[in-house]
């Protein structure tokens, strides 16, 4: 299990350090499939040519990797989608004019006192419960001191030795294309803290620019146990966290905007060795695919150093993932432990939760991704369907309401994953943005099932519904699309087509029976797509074979 | 990236930015230097309390019990003024180091008096008791006098606060 990643590398050169580590033969990560596919294809193409010449070396490197195991833990910062900052009433809107959402509290002016928003506690409790953690009914805030221009107070309000939640786990289903399987990753802790401002480093100037709008915005830091072994597992863990916070409605989980930030800790060790190797931290991971690729790169880099007897070159440091170059580079080496001088935040009281409060939130939790997946599985859907439908809570809601109205499970899943998903992708729309609602999908499915319209017409109507809205019944009536299921009417059309094509009829009767498809097509055309296909074929066949 | 620890730059380039937040006036600067140092020294004391530094809840429990032993501890380490200055990102002239050392020692001694309190029969608390729940609803309010805040920023240009460059140089 630990080495699924290495298996993926078989045919790729290790000597083409470093970009050749990064190809994915078996498709992209589930969650980011759309955005990066193009890029991968190009990479794979160029690597193909190198394959033959380096195969021998690859095999040798494979052997090296088989001897190592990667230990991966992730720290995730989730920005809460509260209307105000954590400790003041300043509104926070991503992309607002710089330095407009500020006040004495978040600017750290003397005498200003922070006051915690109830929504922050509520969100933390929700996430803590959803991650199966133990909640501290009594926790507190601490000051983490450091100097940086994006931190006006000179300290960050955080939780240090008593976080609000500890000791949980997250269930993850690995997509089939990455080997499949279910994993449980431990959660060490969840704590509340505030964000810092944003620093912009402009071109060649000798200065940096600071925007303090984000200073004081509430974050949850979620720390995992070092339970992951591959880049895929890490990326799937992060994707599951994103789903979780979106299901809970506590964050938009948007990685590009920085609402969900992952820092990865990774070390590798020879298999069988108990003690961990030197831990390296990777930052600047802006997508799930970069999480996965950065880890795979880092494993390769470290394994290579090990195999070359240069393990001492692996030092405790922070490395940055460079998306362009597809590699990690040293950002800063650790010079002794940072000295944050944590101490209890004197301006804030402790955070006290009552059992009733926690129970109230526990009862109000929505169905979470893991529960939904298990439920869908129980409905007979395969894992691919399950993962697709549960990936986006809005898609899952759409599917759920269709099922609640009595739609056939597999048919509803097929429509959503097929034509609807394709349309959403092409038009770059979310399921809430298309004009079709779940009720009309149910109507559509039952109209086809009941024989009112053909599947082909159904498809046409679907696109109209998605683009312009309206109702299935209305469209059928308006366009006169009701399926022709009257044998007499179909017989007339069959007769006409046969009469119009005497030459083909002769050929058919001469043995060219493949022409049946041609006739069927002509008749369907004649009926404007409305003829019941089964009936049409039955009558056609009778007529074709009648006089032969 | 997390909001956490800053990327490492050289401290000298950072200091003016920090100073900007503290004060503009050089007459106050000396005084603020001392206060900062004293706070840092006090923090050093807090730091000496293992409870605050434990990430491991189990360990914390054990140390809480140890907490009561502080009453026994009588003398405190003299301050390493140079080190304090470093962590406070303050550069001190040698004569300032000399001048500050006894003063900071005095502050530490005040805190030292607290160590003498007998806590044998006091249950450990994670926070001082607070009178009542002080929380806030999540309803946004724009602070009216933002202009005054920005007016106090030493270098403000194109809607941004300008600070010395803080990029990592490798
Ligand atoms: Zn504010």
């Amino acid at each position: 299990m630990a080495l699924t990643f290495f298996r993926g590398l078989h045919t790729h050169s290790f000597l083409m350090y470093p970009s050749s580590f990064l190809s994915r033969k078996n498709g992209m990560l589930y969650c980011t499939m759309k955005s990066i596919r193009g890029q991968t294809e190009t990479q794979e193409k160029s690597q193909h040519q190198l394959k033959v010449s380096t195969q021998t070396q690859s095999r040798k490197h494979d052997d090296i990797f088989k001897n190592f195991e990667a230990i991966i833990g992730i720290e995730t910062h989730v920005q809460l989608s509260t209307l105000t900052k954590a400790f003041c009433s300043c509104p926070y809107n991503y992309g607002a004019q710089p330095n407009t959402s500020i006040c004495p509290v978040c600017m750290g002016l003397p005498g200003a006192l922070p006051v915690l928003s109830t929504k922050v506690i509520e969100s933390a409790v929700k996430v803590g419960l959803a991650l199966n953690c133990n909640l501290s009914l009594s926790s507190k805030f601490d000051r983490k001191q450091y100097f940086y221009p994006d931190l006006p107070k000179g300290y960050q309000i955080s939780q240090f030795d008593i976080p609000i939640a500890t000791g949980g786990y997250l269930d993850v289903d690995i997509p089939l294309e990455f080997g499949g399987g279910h994993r449980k990753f431990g959660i060490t802790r969840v704590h509340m803290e505030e964000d810092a401002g944003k620093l912009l480093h402009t071109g060649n100037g000798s200065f940096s620019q600071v925007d303090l709008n984000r200073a004081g915005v509430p974050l949850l830091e979620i720390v995992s146990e070092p339970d992951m072994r591959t880049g895929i597992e890490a990326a799937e863990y992060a994707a599951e966290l994103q789903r979780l916070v979106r299901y809970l409605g506590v964050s938009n989980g948007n990685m590009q905007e920085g609402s969900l930030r992952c820092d990865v800790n990774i070390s590798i060790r020879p298999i069988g060795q108990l003690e961990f190797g030197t831990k390296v931290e990777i930052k600047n991971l802006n997508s799930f695919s970069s999480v996965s690729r950065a880890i795979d790169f880092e494993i390769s880099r470290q394994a290579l150093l090990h195999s070359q007897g240069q393990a001492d070159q692996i030092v405790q440091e922070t490395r940055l993932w460079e998306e362009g170059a597809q590699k990690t580079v040293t950002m800063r080496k650790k010079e002794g432990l940072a000295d944050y001088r944590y101490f209890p935040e004197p301006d804030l009281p402790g955070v006290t939760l009552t059992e009733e409060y926690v129970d109230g939130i526990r009862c109000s939790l929505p169905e979470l991704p893991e529960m939904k997946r298990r439920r869908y599985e129980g409905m007979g859907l395969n894992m691919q369907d399950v993962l697709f439908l549960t990936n986006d809570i809005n898609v899952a809601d759409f599917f759920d309401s269709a099922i609640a109205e009595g739609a056939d499970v597999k048919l509803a899943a097929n429509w959503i994953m097929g034509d609807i998903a394709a349309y959403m992708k092409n038009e770059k729309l979310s399921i809430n943005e298309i004009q079709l609602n779940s009720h009309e999908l149910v109507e559509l499915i039952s109209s086809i099932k009941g024989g009112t319209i053909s599947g082909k017409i159904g498809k046409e109507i679907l696109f109209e519904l998605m683009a312009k809205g309206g109702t299935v019944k209305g469209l059928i009536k308006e366009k006169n699309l009701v399926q022709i299921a009257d044998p007499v009417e179909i017989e007339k059309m069959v007769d006409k087509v046969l009469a119009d094509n005497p030459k083909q009829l002769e050929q058919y009767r001469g043995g060219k029976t493949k022409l049946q498809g041609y006739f069927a097509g002509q008749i369907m055309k004649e009926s404007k797509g409305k003829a019941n296909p089964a009936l049409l074929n039955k009558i056609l066949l009778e007529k074709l074979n009648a006089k032969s | 990236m997390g909001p956490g620890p800053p990327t490492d730059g050289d401290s000298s380039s950072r200091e003016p930015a920090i100073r900007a937040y503290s004060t503009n006036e050089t007459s106050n600067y000396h005084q603020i230097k001392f206060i900062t140092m004293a706070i840092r020294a006090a923090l050093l004391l807090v730091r000496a309390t293992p409870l605050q530094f434990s990430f491991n809840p189990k360990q914390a429990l054990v140390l809480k019990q140890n907490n009561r032993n502080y009453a026994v501890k009588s003398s405190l380490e003299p301050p390493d003024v140079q080190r304090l200055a470093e962590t406070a990102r303050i550069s001190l002239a040698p004569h300032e180091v000399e001048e500050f050392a006894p003063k900071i020692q005095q502050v530490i001694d005040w805190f030292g008096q607290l160590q003498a309190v007998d806590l044998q029969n006091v249950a450990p608390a994670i926070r001082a008791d607070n009178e009542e729940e002080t929380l806030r609803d999540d309803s946004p309010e724009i602070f009216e006098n933002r202009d005054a805040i920005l007016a106090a920023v030493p270098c403000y240009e194109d809607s941004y606060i300008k600070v010395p460059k803080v990029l990592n140089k490798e």
Side-chain angles (χ1 to χ4, degrees):
Chain A
M1 193 261 322
L3 290 173
T4 39
F5 152 71
F6 299 125
R7 257 177 263 134
L9 282 169
H10 276 298
T11 48
H12 299 295
S13 152
F14 249 97
L15 293 188
M16 295 313 294
Y17 182 92
S19 65
S20 56
F21 309 150
L22 306 161
S23 75
R24 286 246 179 283
K25 285 206 83 176
N26 40 1
M28 294 315 300
L29 286 174
Y30 199 73
C31 24
T32 40
M33 218 175 269
K34 293 165 206 164
S35 53
I36 40 178
R37 188 173 284 156
Q39 189 186 339
T40 326
E41 274 161 11
T42 347
Q43 274 183 5
E44 286 186 1
K45 223 174 276 166
S46 62
Q47 275 159 17
H48 230 73
Q49 297 153 354
L50 301 163
K51 213 164 81 178
V52 184
S53 60
T54 52
Q55 223 161 24
T56 338
Q57 282 97 335
S58 298
R59 209 165 297 132
K60 198 174 121 206
H61 285 290
D62 266 1
D63 291 341
I64 293 165
F65 294 136
K66 272 184 201 121
N67 302 326
F68 292 98
E69 172 183 50
I71 310 292
I72 302 158
I74 300 186
E75 278 174 28
T76 310
H77 288 92
V78 174
Q79 188 183 295
L80 297 177
S81 51
T82 51
L83 299 175
T84 64
K85 295 188 179 184
F87 303 108
C88 61
S89 297
C90 287
Y92 177 67
N93 300 305
Y94 180 81
Q97 180 76 3
N99 297 302
T100 51
S101 195
I102 52 171
C103 76
V105 175
C106 53
M107 290 292 280
L109 298 189
L113 279 177
V115 183
L116 179 62
S117 148
T118 51
K119 196 77 186 281
V120 175
I121 301 181
E122 189 190 309
S123 304
V125 171
K126 279 182 181 171
V127 169
L129 289 173
L131 289 171
N132 312 289
C133 289
N134 301 311
L135 293 177
S136 313
L137 293 182
S138 184
S139 67
K140 65 176 170 88
F141 284 102
D142 301 278
R143 289 187 181 180
K144 178 180 181 175
Q145 339 267 328
Y146 67 86
F147 292 109
Y148 216 56
D150 59 8
L151 192 74
K153 295 195 294 292
Y155 58 83
Q156 178 194 23
I157 302 179
S158 183
Q159 293 195 291
F160 182 52
D161 52 338
I162 308 177
I164 191 157
T166 53
Y169 59 86
L170 182 65
D171 288 292
V172 176
D173 282 296
I174 308 290
L176 272 179
E177 60 264 41
F178 301 126
H182 185 265
R183 304 271 193 285
K184 223 180 220 353
F185 298 124
I187 301 291
T188 312
R189 54 184 277 152
V190 178
H191 72 251
M192 303 177 277
E193 61 182 29
E194 59 176 341
D195 211 341
K198 261 185 203 158
L199 265 173
L200 281 90
H201 309 287
T202 47
N204 42 14
S206 59
F207 59 90
S208 296
Q209 293 177 308
V210 192
D211 171 12
L212 293 175
N213 280 349
R214 205 181 60 182
V217 166
L219 299 176
L220 291 183
E221 182 176 322
I222 302 167
V223 183
S224 85
E225 289 288 302
D227 286 350
M228 287 143 268
R229 296 293 174 266
T230 64
I232 293 295
E233 287 188 352
E236 289 301 327
Y237 163 87
E240 182 67 10
L241 264 191
Q242 183 189 58
R243 275 189 285 274
L244 192 83
V245 297
R246 286 179 173 174
Y247 270 54
L248 290 170
V250 299
S251 168
N252 67 25
N254 189 326
M255 283 184 105
Q256 277 72 44
E257 289 178 8
S259 307
L260 189 123
R261 287 166 257 170
C262 293
D263 297 338
V264 164
N265 283 307
I266 175 169
S267 66
I268 73 168
R269 64 181 173 190
I271 285 175
Q273 180 183 303
L274 282 180
E275 59 268 36
F276 293 135
T278 306
K279 193 165 76 180
V280 168
E281 187 182 17
I282 313 173
K283 284 178 178 280
N284 197 32
L285 302 166
N286 297 321
S287 68
F288 298 124
S289 85
S290 56
V291 168
S292 167
R293 285 151 179 259
I295 288 173
D296 289 354
F297 175 90
E298 195 54 27
I299 295 174
S300 309
R301 187 186 73 88
Q302 294 187 24
L304 210 58
L305 286 170
H306 267 283
S307 72
Q308 292 167 347
Q310 294 182 304
D312 57 334
Q313 304 257 317
I314 303 168
V315 293
Q316 200 184 338
E317 60 176 339
T318 300
R319 297 178 72 86
L320 275 190
W321 172 246
E322 285 190 348
E323 190 66 42
Q326 294 282 300
K327 62 173 189 175
T328 64
V329 294
T330 297
M331 175 179 157
R332 67 184 128 108
K333 308 238 195 252
K334 292 254 154 73
E335 300 143 359
L337 278 174
D339 192 356
Y340 295 126
R341 305 194 172 213
Y342 281 99
F343 74 100
E345 166 58 79
D347 288 345
L348 285 164
V351 179
T352 312
L353 310 173
T354 64
E355 295 277 5
E356 298 81 66
Y357 175 78
V358 174
D359 286 343
I361 290 183
R362 186 179 286 128
C363 292
S364 74
L365 287 184
E367 183 181 40
L368 297 171
E370 169 68 7
M371 304 181 211
K372 219 182 253 298
R373 286 195 296 266
R374 299 287 81 86
R375 181 163 65 84
Y376 285 1
E377 231 180 0
M379 285 159 56
L381 291 172
N382 65 41
M383 189 45 76
Q384 198 191 351
D385 295 2
V386 168
L387 290 179
F388 181 93
L389 293 170
T390 54
N391 186 46
D392 176 347
I393 185 167
N394 296 317
V395 171
D397 284 347
F398 189 97
F399 174 72
D400 278 337
S401 9
I403 297 307
E405 270 197 67
D408 178 88
V409 169
K410 188 62 192 169
L411 285 178
N414 286 348
W415 279 103
I416 293 172
M417 293 176 61
D419 292 314
I420 298 177
Y423 178 81
M424 280 159 50
K425 191 182 161 191
N426 286 341
E427 304 293 317
K428 296 188 175 64
L429 293 172
S430 74
I431 200 150
N432 295 344
E433 287 165 333
I434 61 174
Q435 298 298 312
L436 171 79
N437 59 39
S438 61
H439 174 72
E440 292 309 320
L441 177 64
V442 178
E443 284 285 313
L444 188 72
I445 292 172
S446 64
S447 299
I448 297 169
K449 219 175 173 182
T452 314
I453 54 170
S454 66
K456 189 165 168 282
I457 296 279
K459 229 173 200 192
E460 284 168 24
I461 293 183
L462 179 78
F463 281 96
E464 180 122 8
L465 289 170
M466 289 192 291
K468 297 182 192 150
T471 65
V472 175
K473 284 200 175 102
L475 280 175
I476 291 174
K477 206 174 159 197
E478 180 190 317
K479 305 199 167 209
N480 190 23
L481 295 171
V482 178
Q483 180 165 264
I484 302 166
D486 178 358
V488 180
E489 210 170 320
I490 292 177
E491 195 178 348
K492 270 187 214 157
M493 289 186 277
V494 174
D495 286 340
K496 181 175 185 291
V497 168
L498 293 185
D500 287 350
N501 299 279
K503 211 171 141 196
Q504 284 85 348
L505 185 61
E506 202 177 310
Q507 286 175 335
Y508 177 91
R509 288 178 177 160
K512 235 181 148 184
T513 52
K514 263 195 265 172
L515 279 168
Q516 189 202 334
Y518 167 78
F519 287 115
Q522 292 301 308
I523 299 160
M524 193 51 99
K525 212 166 161 187
E526 182 73 24
S527 78
K528 299 194 175 69
K530 293 189 289 182
N532 178 310
L535 206 53
L536 183 154
N537 273 308
K538 187 172 162 269
I539 295 170
L540 172 63
L541 214 58
E542 283 169 10
K543 294 260 171 187
L544 283 174
N545 299 332
K547 292 159 196 167
S548 59
Chain B
M1 264 186 283
T7 51
D8 222 16
D10 66 332
S11 49
S12 59
S13 74
R14 266 188 227 160
E15 201 197 314
I18 302 307
R19 204 184 303 168
Y21 293 122
S22 317
T23 176
N24 258 334
E25 299 175 37
T26 36
S27 58
N28 286 340
Y29 187 53
H30 189 73
Q31 207 178 340
I32 281 170
K33 259 189 190 176
F34 171 70
I35 293 168
T36 314
M37 299 278 287
I39 292 171
R40 288 255 137 196
L43 291 185
L44 194 65
L45 273 183
V46 176
R47 202 192 102 178
T49 312
L51 174 62
Q52 306 299 345
F53 265 72
S54 158
F55 249 115
N56 180 342
K58 283 176 209 149
Q59 202 185 338
L61 278 178
V62 177
L63 292 166
K64 261 183 200 167
Q65 287 157 3
N66 290 349
N67 228 359
R68 289 162 195 177
N69 297 336
Y70 290 143
V72 187
K73 204 173 166 187
S74 53
S75 71
L76 291 156
E77 296 282 306
D80 179 345
V81 178
Q82 264 316 342
R83 167 96 186 104
L84 280 173
E86 237 170 73
T87 62
R89 302 289 190 271
I90 290 171
S91 27
L92 289 186
H95 75 272
E96 287 177 309
V97 175
E98 253 172 68
E99 192 187 323
F100 283 158
K103 290 181 181 172
I104 290 168
Q105 182 63 56
Q106 212 174 3
V107 176
I108 290 176
D109 288 344
W110 294 335
F111 278 88
Q113 292 176 25
L114 289 174
Q115 305 285 336
V117 179
D118 182 2
L119 296 173
Q120 257 348 299
N121 299 312
V122 181
I126 62 165
R127 290 288 290 119
D129 279 339
N130 45 290
E131 318 78 66
E132 69 245 33
E133 192 102 317
T134 39
L135 293 169
R136 181 175 57 78
D137 284 338
D138 186 34
S139 49
E141 246 172 74
I142 290 169
F143 179 70
E144 288 304 328
N145 207 2
R146 287 173 296 178
D147 292 346
I149 297 180
L150 292 174
V153 171
C155 194
Y156 181 75
E157 216 176 87
D158 299 332
S159 314
Y160 286 99
I161 296 163
K162 244 172 113 175
V163 297
K165 194 154 190 129
V166 283
L167 261 186
N168 304 290
K169 286 170 209 115
E170 201 49 53

